[in-house]
Amino acid sequence: MGGQKFQYDENGGTFLYFLLSFLALILIPGTYYWWPRKCDQKVVKEELQCNCEGCKKKKLILYINDPWKNVKVLMKKLFILGGWLLLFFLAYRVSLLDYEYANFDPYDILGVPLGASEASIKKAYRKQSLILHPDKETGDEKAFMKLTKAYQALTDEESRRNFEKYGNPDGPGAMSFGIALPSYIVEKENSVWVLGLYALVFMVALPTAVGMWWYKSIRYTGDKVLLETINFYYAFFQITPHMALKRVLMILGASLEFDRRFNSEIIERPSDEIEVPQLIRQIPNLGEKNRERPLYHKYSIKARALIYAHLSNMQLTSETLEADRMYIVKKCPYLLQEMVTCISQLILLAYAQRVPRLIHIETLENVMKLCPMIVQGMWDFKNPLLQLPYVTDDHLKHFICKKRYIKSLQQFAQMKNEERRSVVKFMNDEQYSDMLKVLGNMPYVDLHVQPEVIDDEATTEYTAGAIITVTCTLMRKPMSVLFGDDTIKVQFLEPSKEGEGEIEEEEEKPNGTITPVVNKEKQQTHRPVWMKNKKGGKKKKFTKNKHDKKSSGQKKITNTVEQTEAPADVAKVEKKDTPEESKDVSSESEEESDLSDVENDEVVDKKEKNEDSNNKSEESSDDDDDDWEKYQTGLNKRDKVLEGRSKQSHSVHCPRFPEDKQEFWWIYISDRKSRTLLTSPYHITELVDQEQVQLKFTAPRWPGVYTFSVCLRCDSYLGFDQMQDIKLDVKEAPEVPTEHPQWEMSGEEDEGDEEMGGSDVSEFTTDEDVEDDL
């Protein structure tokens, strides 16, 4: 390394190359990730948004909270465009750089061929010097200096020999490295400033940024929920396995995100000593006298009172309490999602006997039920029609009367336009159009469930202890597809407690498996007030008799068999009733007919064999196509998992919620009879058009027919939950084989090998064997 030379960039050319490459590495991916893409879509969505008073107030609140939103988007665009302009400018500057010794070829500069004589070199030099000399009008100083250097390199014998041998007039040179930094950085006058900048960046700014990031990462989860809050949830859910909705509200209000000691964004005001007690007096059964810690703390009681006021749609007179309400409500969906995660983990730990108590599934469902209540700002016993704009409690009499009985948003959407307009005649045309926008953008999810045993030959045969995979396909459509179409049977879970329904129809296949059939009518228990049956109506009783079903099914089967066998019997009777003239047929014709029958039978057998082989080949090809499709879908799912989960689906109409809420769902499998959870709830955050989810659980250990329920719950709207029952005929698992013919053969061969191994005879051919053969 003794011949190497390091030098700084005196002219700045190398530094330009460094800046160009560094800027390109940042700008190209940064443009892809940071460029605002959804500006046009937001304009379209604003045209479809509701213009009710609540939505207008929410838009104003969002603008006040972020008044520089449009300016930030514009500045981001200008910053990215400025970076690209700087990149093009640097590329132009780099293209103008011309190094003195770059590609130095004296023959090319003088315009003479390789190995030219000295006379021709001098002649070319005189001719070009008359043109390029600085004293001439056409002179060029740099070009003339190159020309002179080229002439000197070719007229000097040693320089010419070095160029022809090494490609350089000066002979072999040492390797040089250029540092892409200007030379003034290492000058003595600027050393203090350079060291100060180095210390500021690498010793102050970088450690501070890393420390702040590490401090936040160890205190919060991915959704910015405190880890101490999660530990608090674990403790209380273990203490109270069966938690009512009111208790869940108390736990939610006691979250540490609302405590000033753990969250610096919480503001404690002196006016709270007067305003909060006044609010508590207006709310009955708040539970402020509970002496459990931290449920009796001031921050917990305040947060609980504000959540109650939000659900009761109370108008807060104080601006400070209204600001606190919006902050608390904004945090609740993230906290409830962490509650669902904690409960599902505690249930799994209880199954593994790691915790002493099993959490009831009612606790989990109460937490899920609370999320749409907070998003919509209404209690669960309220009519779901109140989620529409301009509809209040006083207007419900138009929906439920003697003429009509509208109990759900789906039923209201399926009405004809004239009937729907007559129901909401209290609205003007503008309000009616806004209401149709909101109703048409609400979700209509078509849920398809397919249980199977993957990686098994018989995917529809369920054995004890097998891993069953339930593939749930969700097709999300706007509610506008239901407008005026009363033929679609919308399957939504109506609010009830236990025993939501039973499977009324079963479809049994020849192999003994029973396919799941969705409930068409579910028995309701403990209906809310607004869903009670009308007076004077007759109750219909549905009686089911399994024996009658079986007998009717057997009758159907026997009838079909009799119909298929009837033509053969008729043919036999016709043959028996033939006239006696048939007896006079000659023996030769009988032999010919027998031969023809044999030939025909052979042809028919060949045709049947060919058809069977073709059918088998078609079935095998179909199976291969199905396997290939499953393989491709598996690859797509893996790629999707690697890409990460998005949290953009559809905006929710929620005037009482202070932020833009996206539409999310929970899906899980449970046993409604034993009230147990079979799979952890899967949080669907990117259901735009279609989503496919696989839920896996272990089949029961004992054979029998089991009924499980696939539950789909919305975290944004009330009255959109669904439940589908799947019925599994679990059979006894086959015994593990202990003996096999192949194993016995291998054992006999081993014994024979051992017997042969005891002798001195070798299995390989030797020279003695060859001599004996000769």
Side-chain angles (χ1 to χ4, degrees):
M1 301 294 290
Q4 295 179 356
K5 296 181 180 179
F6 293 89
Q7 58 183 0
Y8 287 87
D9 187 14
E10 298 291 343
N11 299 323
T14 312
F15 186 62
L16 288 179
Y17 274 107
F18 171 74
L19 286 179
L20 181 65
S21 59
F22 183 75
L23 186 61
L25 287 174
I26 295 178
L27 199 59
I28 293 174
T31 304
Y32 177 76
Y33 286 105
W34 297 332
W35 183 265
R37 298 182 181 87
K38 297 186 178 180
C39 296
D40 297 336
Q41 296 180 3
K42 288 181 180 179
V43 174
V44 175
K45 287 182 179 180
E46 287 179 358
E47 296 177 356
L48 298 175
Q49 282 181 356
C50 176
N51 294 320
C52 62
E53 295 181 0
C55 292
K56 289 181 179 178
K57 184 178 179 181
K58 181 178 179 178
K59 290 178 184 178
L60 181 61
I61 292 172
L62 292 175
Y63 178 76
I64 293 173
N65 293 334
D66 194 3
W68 302 99
K69 186 175 183 179
N70 296 329
V71 178
K72 289 177 182 178
V73 172
L74 180 61
M75 293 299 295
K76 188 182 293 185
K77 291 182 178 180
L78 293 177
F79 183 77
I80 294 175
L81 291 176
W84 279 104
L85 291 176
L86 180 61
L87 182 68
F88 292 144
F89 176 73
L90 291 176
Y92 175 74
R93 286 289 306 273
V94 168
S95 65
L96 297 178
L97 292 177
D98 189 13
Y99 294 96
E100 182 178 1
Y101 295 103
N103 298 326
F104 180 75
D105 187 0
Y107 291 99
D108 187 25
I109 295 172
L110 291 171
V112 295
L114 186 64
S117 61
E118 187 174 353
S120 60
I121 293 172
K122 290 181 180 181
K123 182 178 179 181
Y125 173 71
R126 293 192 194 97
K127 184 178 179 180
Q128 292 189 25
S129 62
L130 293 175
I131 301 173
L132 298 178
H133 198 277
D135 295 339
K136 302 292 182 179
E137 295 181 358
T138 59
D140 187 355
E141 185 177 0
K142 290 185 178 181
F144 183 73
M145 289 177 65
K146 278 189 175 183
L147 182 67
T148 305
K149 188 171 182 61
Y151 174 72
Q152 291 176 357
L154 295 181
T155 53
D156 187 15
E157 293 295 334
E158 185 176 358
S159 299
R160 185 172 182 177
R161 194 183 310 111
N162 288 334
F163 177 77
E164 293 177 354
K165 187 175 182 180
Y166 302 107
N168 190 359
D170 299 330
M175 185 180 295
S176 62
F177 296 89
I179 300 176
L181 291 175
S183 59
Y184 62 82
I185 290 181
V186 293
E187 291 180 357
K188 187 176 181 180
E189 294 82 5
N190 301 328
S191 59
V192 177
W193 298 102
V194 173
L195 290 175
L197 181 63
Y198 178 85
L200 182 64
V201 173
F202 292 99
M203 300 180 67
V204 178
L206 187 60
T208 303
V210 173
M212 292 175 63
W213 169 80
W214 178 251
Y215 180 71
K216 288 184 178 180
S217 63
I218 62 175
R219 294 182 66 236
Y220 295 92
T221 62
D223 291 332
K224 297 182 180 180
V225 178
L226 287 168
L227 295 178
E228 296 183 4
T229 301
I230 297 176
N231 295 331
F232 162 71
Y233 291 160
Y234 277 120
F236 267 83
F237 284 121
Q238 286 183 2
I239 295 173
T240 314
H242 191 283
M243 192 174 291
L245 184 62
K246 182 180 178 182
R247 179 77 172 179
V248 175
L249 274 169
M250 298 177 70
I251 303 301
L252 179 63
S255 301
L256 301 180
E257 273 75 9
F258 309 140
D259 192 354
R260 173 68 180 175
R261 296 174 298 175
F262 297 92
N263 189 1
S264 59
E265 296 180 358
I266 297 296
I267 301 174
E268 294 181 352
R269 308 177 184 87
S271 59
D272 291 343
E273 300 294 334
I274 301 174
E275 295 174 350
V276 174
Q278 292 178 355
L279 178 62
I280 293 174
R281 295 191 195 99
Q282 301 176 11
I283 302 174
N285 301 324
L286 183 61
E288 67 275 10
K289 295 182 180 180
N290 191 311
R291 303 313 300 170
E292 291 182 86
R293 185 178 180 183
L295 302 182
Y296 66 89
H297 289 177
K298 291 183 179 180
Y299 83 90
S300 175
I301 298 175
K302 177 183 176 181
R304 194 189 318 156
L306 291 174
I307 293 174
Y308 268 76
H310 171 73
L311 295 176
S312 302
N313 199 8
M314 297 174 57
Q315 300 297 328
L316 300 177
T317 57
S318 175
E319 295 182 357
T320 56
L321 289 181
E322 180 65 19
D324 294 339
R325 180 195 69 84
M326 290 190 294
Y327 181 82
I328 291 172
V329 169
K330 181 174 61 176
K331 289 283 186 181
C332 284
Y334 302 101
L335 298 174
L336 291 172
Q337 172 58 27
E338 292 297 334
M339 280 189 183
V340 171
T341 305
C342 292
I343 294 172
S344 60
Q345 291 180 357
L346 285 174
I347 291 175
L348 294 178
L349 291 174
Y351 287 156
Q353 298 182 355
R354 299 279 299 276
V355 293
R357 296 180 179 179
L358 177 63
I359 309 297
H360 291 222
I361 195 172
E362 287 82 0
T363 304
L364 177 67
E365 292 177 348
N366 286 332
V367 173
M368 292 181 179
K369 188 190 302 182
L370 183 58
C371 191
M373 290 167 51
I374 290 178
V375 172
Q376 295 297 329
M378 56 186 292
W379 292 98
D380 60 330
F381 55 82
K382 291 285 185 178
N383 195 322
L385 295 170
L386 295 175
Q387 298 175 97
L388 295 175
Y390 310 109
V391 178
T392 61
D393 291 325
D394 298 333
H395 299 142
L396 293 179
K397 60 185 178 181
H398 299 283
F399 295 90
I400 303 175
C401 60
K402 294 181 179 179
K403 297 181 180 180
R404 63 185 67 91
Y405 182 56
I406 303 171
K407 58 182 179 181
S408 65
L409 292 166
Q410 297 79 25
Q411 185 180 357
F412 182 60
Q414 288 182 315
M415 297 178 65
K416 295 182 180 180
N417 190 24
E418 296 80 7
E419 297 179 359
R420 192 188 309 113
R421 188 68 182 92
S422 63
V423 172
V424 291
K425 57 186 177 181
F426 56 88
M427 298 183 186
N428 55 35
D429 293 339
E430 184 179 357
Q431 293 176 347
Y432 181 69
S433 62
D434 287 342
M435 188 271 296
L436 286 183
K437 290 178 185 178
V438 174
L439 182 63
N441 291 328
M442 286 183 176
Y444 164 54
V445 179
D446 190 5
L447 176 62
H448 295 278
V449 177
Q450 178 61 39
E452 58 182 349
V453 180
I454 300 179
D455 298 334
D456 198 352
E457 295 179 356
T459 57
T460 57
E461 291 185 1
Y462 313 106
T463 57
I467 297 176
I468 299 175
T469 302
V470 181
T471 303
C472 306
T473 304
L474 292 82
M475 300 285 293
R476 199 270 187 195
K477 301 176 184 178
M479 192 73 75
S480 57
V481 301
L482 300 178
F483 284 174
D485 190 0
D486 56 354
T487 59
I488 302 176
K489 294 184 179 180
V490 185
Q491 300 162 357
F492 283 93
L493 176 63
E494 297 177 354
S496 60
K497 293 185 179 180
E498 294 183 3
E500 280 84 351
E502 297 178 358
I503 292 179
E504 296 183 0
E505 295 183 0
E506 300 172 2
E507 184 179 353
E508 188 172 75
K509 293 185 177 181
N511 57 2
T513 59
I514 298 176
T515 58
V517 179
V518 183
N519 287 351
K520 294 184 177 179
E521 297 178 359
K522 298 181 180 181
Q523 298 177 356
Q524 300 296 324
T525 58
H526 304 285
R527 290 173 176 264
V529 176
W530 55 269
M531 290 183 61
K532 286 185 177 180
N533 295 326
K534 295 184 291 183
K535 294 182 179 180
K538 294 181 180 180
K539 296 182 180 179
K540 298 182 180 180
K541 296 183 180 179
F542 297 94
T543 59
K544 296 183 288 184
N545 193 347
K546 296 183 179 179
H547 299 288
D548 294 341
K549 284 188 176 182
K550 292 181 180 179
S551 61
S552 61
Q554 291 175 0
K555 289 180 181 179
K556 290 180 180 178
I557 294 171
T558 54
N559 291 333
T560 55
V561 172
E562 289 174 1
Q563 291 176 1
T564 54
E565 292 179 353
D569 296 336
V570 172
K572 290 180 180 178
V573 171
E574 290 178 354
K575 287 182 180 180
K576 290 180 180 179
D577 295 338
T578 52
E580 296 179 355
E581 296 177 357
S582 59
K583 297 180 181 179
D584 298 334
V585 180
S586 61
S587 60
E588 295 179 357
S589 61
E590 290 179 358
E591 292 177 357
E592 290 177 358
S593 62
D594 293 337
L595 293 174
S596 62
D597 292 338
V598 172
E599 292 176 356
N600 292 331
D601 293 338
E602 291 179 355
V603 172
V604 170
D605 292 337
K606 289 181 180 179
K607 288 183 179 180
E608 291 178 353
K609 290 180 180 179
N610 292 330
E611 290 177 357
D612 293 338
S613 61
N614 292 331
N615 293 331
K616 289 181 180 179
S617 61
E618 290 177 359
E619 291 177 357
S620 61
S621 62
D622 294 338
D623 294 338
D624 294 338
D625 293 338
D626 295 339
D627 295 339
W628 177 252
E629 290 178 359
K630 290 181 181 179
Y631 177 72
Q632 291 294 330
T633 53
L635 290 179
N636 294 333
K637 288 179 183 178
R638 291 172 187 171
D639 296 339
K640 196 172 183 180
V641 170
L642 293 175
E643 290 177 1
R645 294 181 63 186
S646 173
K647 291 189 177 182
Q648 295 291 328
S649 56
H650 295 274
S651 296
V652 178
H653 177 262
C654 46
R656 295 277 295 165
F657 195 75
E659 280 189 343
D660 182 26
K661 178 68 174 64
Q662 295 294 310
E663 182 184 296
F664 299 154
W665 301 80
W666 284 294
I667 188 168
Y668 58 95
I669 301 177
S670 64
D671 187 359
R672 309 309 295 181
K673 292 183 178 179
S674 61
R675 310 298 295 167
T676 55
L677 184 70
L678 298 182
T679 62
S680 298
Y682 184 83
H683 200 207
I684 303 173
T685 60
E686 48 186 353
L687 180 57
V688 180
D689 296 321
Q690 183 177 356
E691 185 73 14
Q692 193 175 65
V693 180
Q694 286 187 348
L695 304 175
K696 298 182 179 181
F697 66 97
T698 306
R701 293 180 294 175
W702 296 276
V705 179
Y706 297 88
T707 302
F708 304 119
S709 300
V710 180
C711 304
L712 178 67
R713 295 188 179 273
C714 183
D715 76 333
S716 304
Y717 293 106
L718 291 169
F720 287 82
D721 299 339
Q722 297 188 39
M723 182 181 295
Q724 289 192 16
D725 291 347
I726 55 176
K727 205 163 189 179
L728 305 178
D729 186 5
V730 180
K731 298 181 180 180
E732 188 175 357
E735 297 181 357
V736 179
T738 57
E739 296 181 358
H740 197 272
Q742 294 181 352
W743 301 345
E744 295 177 359
M745 291 175 61
S746 61
E748 293 176 357
E749 291 177 358
D750 294 339
E751 291 177 359
D753 293 339
E754 291 177 359
E755 293 176 357
M756 293 295 294
S759 63
D760 297 334
V761 180
S762 176
E763 60 180 353
F764 300 102
T765 304
T766 59
D767 295 338
E768 296 178 357
D769 296 333
V770 175
E771 291 176 357
D772 293 339
D773 293 337
L774 295 175

